[in-house]
């Protein structure tokens, strides 16, 4: 991947709705070679997709919670737990971790009452769960804006 590919990635992460013309101009190419590079980045799996960023309150999901969960650590239990998590739409991110806690979730619901229902009815009821800890997000300090594509300092 060269500097132009990285520039394309930077620009598309800022605004995935750029026209081919605008993107080409920003990265210093003509539209045709720029589009070929974008298609190649898509084919190679470097660009995995395009999404809209939705305001959580607009869809009644303004109450966010980070949840750490401990699960019994045998293969069948972990696989069943992970499959069940994928079926809960309120869980918007889920990560299996090394060490403790074993799993970290980001949950978005309408309010505290909705989270309490989710906690009681779904999270604590998942097979293999031994502990659930919740941290309510007070304020988002930094929004996800994409990955740095120029390497680390």
């Amino acid at each position: 991947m060269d500097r132009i590919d990285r520039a394309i990635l930077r620009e598309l992460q800022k605004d995935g709705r750029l026209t081919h013309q605008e993107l080409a101009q920003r990265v210093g190419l003509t539209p045709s070679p720029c589009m070929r590079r974008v298609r190649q980045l898509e084919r190679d799996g470097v660009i995995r997709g395009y999404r809209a960023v939705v305001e959580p309150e607009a869809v009644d999901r303004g109450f966010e919670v980070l949840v750490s969960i401990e699960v019994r650590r045998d293969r069948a239990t972990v696989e069943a737990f992970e499959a069940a998590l994928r079926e809960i739409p309120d869980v918007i991110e889920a990560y299996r971790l090394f060490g403790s806690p074993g799993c970290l979730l980001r949950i978005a619901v309408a309010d505290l009452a909705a989270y309490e229902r989710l906690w009681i009815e779904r999270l604590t009821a998942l097979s293999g769960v031994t502990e659930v800890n919740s941290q309510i997000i007070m304020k988002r300090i930094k929004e996800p804006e994409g990955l740095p594509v120029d390497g680390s300092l």
Side-chain angles (χ1 to χ4, degrees):
M1 184 174 322
D2 65 14
R3 67 174 184 75
I4 293 174
D5 289 335
R6 290 177 187 281
I8 288 169
L9 294 174
R10 241 187 336 275
E11 294 301 327
L12 287 175
Q13 285 187 110
K14 288 180 199 169
D15 184 357
R17 293 179 54 124
L18 287 173
T19 67
H20 304 309
Q21 187 75 28
E22 291 170 323
L23 178 60
Q25 184 177 12
R26 289 185 186 188
V27 301
L29 291 176
T30 58
S32 185
C34 183
M35 202 58 241
R36 278 194 298 273
R37 282 176 177 258
V38 170
R39 285 192 189 109
Q40 189 62 51
L41 289 165
E42 290 170 346
R43 277 192 298 274
D44 291 346
V46 175
I47 296 174
R48 297 189 322 196
Y50 301 88
R51 293 182 176 95
V53 178
V54 177
E55 177 60 41
E57 286 82 8
V59 293
D60 208 17
R61 298 280 176 172
F63 190 83
E64 291 189 30
V65 184
L66 297 177
V67 179
S68 58
I69 295 184
E70 287 294 347
V71 179
R72 281 194 322 271
R73 296 186 189 220
D74 63 86
R75 183 181 189 142
T77 301
V78 170
E79 288 174 354
F81 170 78
E82 290 177 0
L85 277 183
R86 285 190 279 281
E87 300 302 316
I88 303 173
D90 302 317
V91 176
I92 58 175
E93 292 181 70
Y95 302 94
R96 186 188 325 160
L97 306 175
F98 287 103
S100 186
C103 188
L104 181 64
L105 312 178
R106 183 169 150 233
I107 292 175
V109 292
D111 53 28
L112 180 59
Y115 178 65
E116 183 180 11
R117 278 190 308 280
L118 175 71
W119 191 90
I120 290 169
E121 295 171 8
R122 303 289 298 269
L123 298 179
T124 59
L126 290 171
S127 178
V129 170
T130 61
E131 187 176 336
V132 179
N133 291 299
S134 307
Q135 294 82 37
I136 297 170
I137 296 175
M138 180 188 307
K139 175 183 176 184
R140 186 180 302 270
I141 298 168
K142 184 177 179 182
E143 294 278 339
E145 295 179 5
L147 296 171
V149 295
D150 292 324
S152 61
L153 297 174

